[in-house]
Amino acid sequence: MYQTISPRHIHRQTTTAHLAQTMRLLFKPVDDLQKEIDEMVSNNPAIELMEKRTCPTCHRPLGEHGSCPMCSHPKSNIQDEPVVYVSPREDFYGRGERSNEEMPDEPLASMTEELPEFVLRQISPELKPEDRRIAAYMLSNLDEDGLLEIDLYEVVRYFRVPLSRVKDIQHLIQRAEPIGVGSCTPQEALLAQIDVLRESAKVPELAEKIIRTGWELATHRQYRELAHLLGVPLKIIQQTMHFISENLVPFPARAHYGDTRDPSRKVGEVYHRPDIIISYLNDNPENSLVVEIVMPISGTLRINPMFREAIHEAGTEEQKESWKAYLERAELFIKCLQQRNHTMERLMRRLVGLQRDYILKGEKYLVPVTRFQISIELEVHESTISRAVAGKAVQLPNRRIIPLSSFFDRSLPARMVLKEIIDAEPHPLSDAELMALLADRGFPVARRTVAKYRALEGILPAQMRKPILREI
DNA sequence: CTATGGCACGGATT
DNA sequence: AATCCGTGCCATAG
């Protein structure tokens, strides 16, 4: 944003109207903010959008001080103080870009409306610019299960590019969340998931074999025939099938929608543009973290100086008044935006410092914090924090997009440890036993609560966890 | 009798 | 003031 006013200065001249509007803007996620800004810019002649300024070397938008935080900032060795800045960032589809290309943007099925965007956003950092159209085209042809409903050759013909290039793009898509999306068949989706899973856990060799050669039999639950075909004992087959049904999803998109196993993901809250992007400086894990507060516009807003001048030459007194009103509203709007960003910036600086391990090492390391505590530390009202957190999404360095509110989830670490325990124990443990083990690891919770956590994580009760097969 | 899920209560959080 | 979350009690299933 255009800043001639320091945040402290803003604070002093806060008025009630100002406050009210700041509140309104504060809890708006980027999507809504974009509409808000668009409307203001097109209706109010006093405000204008400066052209975007991008860094000449890395093409990222410049930070608010006119320097590029991504490449001109020296390597920071301050570990507790991440670089936080407000970033003007373009819509990922590129505004206006769509008009000169015949980007296929026919309406999608309502359920998957946001899936293509969601995926495109994840892969766009690795996607060559010239491949974006192809990726977007493929993503717009997903069915409601997240599988590609067109043939790869169709894409080849449409864009007249080599098949290998299309396959490369598909490979990229498959590895984005939900993993396996964009595959042509359920098998392909499963194999992609195995691929990704192997990076962090061991996967039975047999699983891949079953999917590759015996999938027909497996889907019909003809395990005996399958065992015979692969020359493996029936029992092993059953165990592997159990592994598959527990860990893999043949229809990637379903995991996010109707699946009651993961009630923490609500429909509509899943696929968001990130409001905040956390990444490594220059994408190098050696470097410190950079936190971008995303702005939905590609430039900076400011008062049009011409307009300010023009007021003196207003024809009638009436006109003068109305122009002044425009001017005031524009000023207010800009100040409120600045304050919103300032609040977000402070919040994220504190939060990232606090939850660094969570961001880098995983959910197990989340530090339990309440909004209330943060509000005291930042000396703002607790509702301010609530507003700032509500409905916002964060993209982590590993490209996962999660709700900002998960930073305040008290029970997440306990649930992750619970998962670990269950994964590790070959013998199914009852809730009471699990309770004891959790207590050992520093999570004293009631037996009843263990059951609730299990349910939250979609883990079946002990008896049902024996090698019984779930429907695929 | 044991293991679990449902319901509801109370305290903390928002 | 409304909502969320952990927990205790009790019914039910095996």
Side-chain angles (χ1 to χ4, degrees), chain A residues 438-450:
Chain A
L438 270 178
D440 288 345
R441 300 222 196 170
F443 297 97
V445 289
R447 184 234 104 215
R448 190 65 192 80
T449 308
V450 175

Side-chain angles (χ1 to χ4, degrees), chain A residues 113-129:
Chain A
E113 199 163 40
E114 298 183 38
L115 182 58
E117 280 189 48
F118 174 73
V119 175
L120 189 59
R121 188 171 316 121
Q122 293 175 75
I123 63 174
S124 67
E126 291 154 63
L127 196 62
K128 285 181 234 141

Side-chain angles (χ1 to χ4, degrees), chain A residues 119-120 122-128 131 135 138-139 165-182 196 399:
Chain A
V119 175
L120 189 59
Q122 293 175 75
I123 63 174
S124 67
E126 291 154 63
L127 196 62
K128 285 181 234 141
D131 284 347
M138 290 167 73
L139 287 170
R165 187 163 152 200
V166 176
K167 279 193 169 164
D168 284 347
I169 297 172
Q170 185 187 33
H171 189 266
L172 210 55
I173 293 173
Q174 284 172 326
R175 266 140 197 84
E177 288 277 341
I179 297 165
V181 66
V196 173
R399 312 226 184 285

Side-chain angles (χ1 to χ4, degrees), chain A residues 43 45 50 65 84 91 95 180 224 234 281 309 327 350 377-378 389 418 427:
Chain A
N43 292 339
M50 300 276 286
H65 304 298
V84 181
D91 185 337
R95 303 174 115 217
R224 241 159 306 178
L234 179 61
L281 186 59
E309 288 303 310
L327 192 64
R350 182 74 193 106
E377 290 176 31
L378 298 188
V389 168
L418 177 68
H427 175 68

